[in-house]
Amino acid sequence: MTQTQHASRHLIIGGGSMGLAAADALVRAGAESIQVLDAHCPPHSHGAHHGETRLIRLAYGEGSGYVGLAEQAWAGWQQLEQETGASLLLPCGVINMGPSDVPFIQQVQASAREYGLPLTVLAGDTARRRFPGWQINTDWTAAVEHRAGVLWVERIVAAWRARIERARHVTLTTNASVIALEPLQGGGATAVCADGRRFTAERVLLAAGQHIEPLLTPLGIHVPLTRVRKTFAWFDADARYQPDCFPGFSLTDPERGIYYGFPDLNGAGFKMGRHDQGQTVQPGVPLAPFGGHDEDMAELQQVIDRYLPGVGALRHGAVCQYIRTPDEHFLIDEVMPGLVMAGGFSGHGFKFACALGDTLADWLHTGTRAGSLAGFTLSRAACQPRAGRE
Ligand SMILES: Cc1cc2nc3c(=O)[nH]c(=O)nc-3n(C[C@H](O)[C@H](O)[C@H](O)COP(=O)(O)OP(=O)(O)OC[C@H]3O[C@@H](n4cnc5c(N)ncnc54)[C@H](O)[C@@H]3O)c2cc1C
């Protein structure tokens, strides 16, 4: 076993969505001496950034506190497209559907009002005529956001990686699995890898998804993160599911659950997944493949049968993971001097990655946390140990 010791000013543990976004932003900010470690070889399918596509919505149903960050991210994705020449964002719109009294649907409208975002609110029967791929309940509400759409997730991660590998002052080390953190007296930490390599820095970003919790617990830092197995699948679909007439969507059905999905992009098929529920799995434990649980297919099929008349046979499915917090808001905090963690993205973080990357890079570089992250602290009530939990 090697015991090589590496030192840098900035160390990023986890070179996935948030880690590479932050590394890219540090490079652009002119930071020197940046080391990124990843347990795999990003983009890959061992974390939360695979499956081709992610939705981006600005009229945010999870709370208007996210809208500023979403606006910043929308501009950031456009800039990344311009700079790389790659097609990364498809502005095909997103339609949010459900009964009008569902809190998510009400919050989408409230966020749009508060921030002056363009949003078209349709009754269910009008939405059925406008979007023939949908047969939603006529008494539901459909809130259509045109400045919204689809991000190509693996292309983006690959674009960041390519830029980082061309840059000076930054090293991405793949297949480097961090198994322990040792805090330094003056701030920062040493990351110990499974093969014995050690990486030390004064400013550390821990963005290691499922392994944030097991890396922090031995330091006496308890983060309420739950790893959840999530599935999604692609299906045959007719012409009603092309992106020019079928936007991305969220659907909240009080009986069937919360779902999201995508038009048939480049012939890949109609794609859908369930946002709520899922199976809790401990960090490091392999996820059962799609079809490993009876509900994997059944829960998607019940929504297709009820609402999607032109969607046909299953093509293939996949599994991924959410790292959930108790309130499903992000967890981004300086948990020890010089050690910032960014996790708990609860299945809705990717759309913000470029904006969060800028903000995290600034925090690492200057030592000052941006006000936009104030709602994501570990000290908030929802993240405190509940009586009887510990
Ligand atoms: C099915 C599904 C659908 C989603 N849909 C959307 C959506 O529509 N819109 C949206 O905005 N978001 C969505 N999300 C959420 C979004 O993809 C995640 O919030 C985001 O990718 C999380 O970024 P991350 O950097 O925390 O994780 P990742 O991108 O997984 O990065 C973590 C990295 O850490 C590395 N790592 C882990 N452990 C270690 C270790 N011990 N040592 C070194 N490296 C380590 C991993 O290899 C990985 O590369 C979805 C997620 C899933 C699973």
Side-chain angles (χ1 to χ4, degrees):
M1 182 177 281
T2 58
Q3 290 286 336
T4 332
Q5 181 87 38
H6 304 263
S8 57
R9 167 130 174 86
H10 303 98
L11 173 62
I12 297 177
I13 303 169
S17 318
M18 303 301 163
L20 286 187
D24 185 64
L26 274 172
V27 170
R28 282 185 283 111
E32 298 191 354
S33 184
I34 308 155
Q35 172 71 57
V36 185
L37 302 175
D38 199 275
H40 301 280
C41 196
H44 59 73
S45 56
H46 305 282
H49 62 253
H50 58 284
E52 298 179 356
T53 46
R54 295 290 184 268
L55 292 179
I56 177 164
R57 313 170 263 114
L58 278 67
Y60 221 57
E62 291 85 343
S64 62
Y66 288 89
V67 176
L69 209 52
E71 292 265 27
Q72 192 188 332
W74 184 267
W77 297 125
Q78 290 179 318
Q79 187 182 334
L80 187 62
E81 271 199 319
Q82 278 170 14
E83 289 170 357
T84 60
S87 172
L88 306 175
L89 166 65
L90 178 70
C92 60
V94 170
I95 176 169
N96 300 283
M97 295 163 290
S100 53
D101 60 351
V102 159
F104 185 89
I105 297 294
Q106 293 186 340
Q107 184 58 53
V108 166
Q109 295 172 75
S111 291
R113 272 195 305 275
E114 190 178 336
Y115 283 86
L117 300 173
L119 187 76
T120 306
V121 180
L122 304 173
D125 50 352
T126 312
R128 286 166 70 134
R129 283 194 299 277
R130 182 86 59 91
F131 304 104
W134 282 110
Q135 270 185 1
I136 60 166
N137 299 0
T138 52
D139 60 350
W140 277 16
T141 293
V144 189
E145 190 174 21
H146 299 284
R147 195 158 63 104
V150 175
L151 293 163
W152 294 98
V153 56
E154 285 122 322
R155 279 187 209 167
I156 290 169
V157 171
W160 281 324
R161 178 172 174 173
R163 286 219 301 206
I164 285 164
E165 289 182 330
R166 283 196 304 271
R168 292 167 64 210
H169 308 308
V170 57
T171 307
L172 167 65
T173 305
T174 56
N175 302 309
S177 178
V178 175
I179 55 166
L181 290 174
E182 296 171 358
L184 300 177
Q185 247 189 352
T190 297
V192 183
C193 291
D195 61 6
R197 282 178 292 178
R198 298 166 65 84
F199 294 83
T200 294
E202 302 156 39
R203 307 288 302 159
V204 179
L205 172 64
L206 179 59
Q210 59 171 310
H211 287 122
I212 292 175
E213 189 260 337
L215 285 169
L216 291 181
T217 300
L219 306 183
I221 301 163
H222 298 286
V223 286
L225 299 179
T226 305
R227 180 178 180 231
V228 183
R229 173 184 178 270
K230 300 300 297 176
T231 60
F232 50 95
W234 290 260
F235 297 84
D236 288 342
D238 68 23
R240 286 173 283 186
Y241 299 89
Q242 291 298 307
D244 56 347
C245 56
F246 188 89
F249 71 89
S250 81
L251 178 142
T252 305
D253 180 329
E255 283 171 31
R256 294 175 180 81
I258 304 171
Y259 296 81
Y260 64 89
F262 303 81
D264 181 351
L265 297 170
N266 304 331
F270 163 84
K271 177 185 158 193
M272 183 171 73
R274 182 169 186 171
H275 179 67
D276 61 336
Q277 304 286 357
Q279 298 81 30
T280 300
V281 182
Q282 292 305 306
V285 174
L287 302 176
F290 183 80
H293 291 256
D294 289 344
E295 59 266 41
D296 291 352
M297 185 60 194
E299 57 193 11
L300 301 181
Q301 194 63 54
Q302 60 169 345
V303 174
I304 292 169
D305 291 346
R306 173 65 189 83
Y307 299 113
L308 293 153
V311 173
L314 173 72
R315 290 192 183 174
H316 59 102
V319 291
C320 195
Q321 59 191 331
Y322 286 2
I323 310 299
R324 270 200 192 125
T325 60
D327 59 4
E328 299 189 22
H329 295 300
F330 309 157
L331 189 44
I332 304 175
D333 210 341
E334 186 161 5
V335 289
M336 296 191 89
L339 175 57
V340 172
M341 64 146 292
F345 292 103
S346 304
H348 65 116
F350 191 81
K351 66 182 72 59
F352 303 105
C354 63
L356 286 174
D358 286 347
T359 310
L360 289 165
D362 195 51
W363 193 351
L364 287 187
H365 204 34
T366 65
T368 308
R369 174 170 62 191
S372 58
L373 302 183
F376 303 140
T377 59
L378 181 56
S379 60
R380 69 183 187 261
C383 289
Q384 293 309 297
R386 283 194 306 271
R389 195 168 70 188
E390 295 186 75

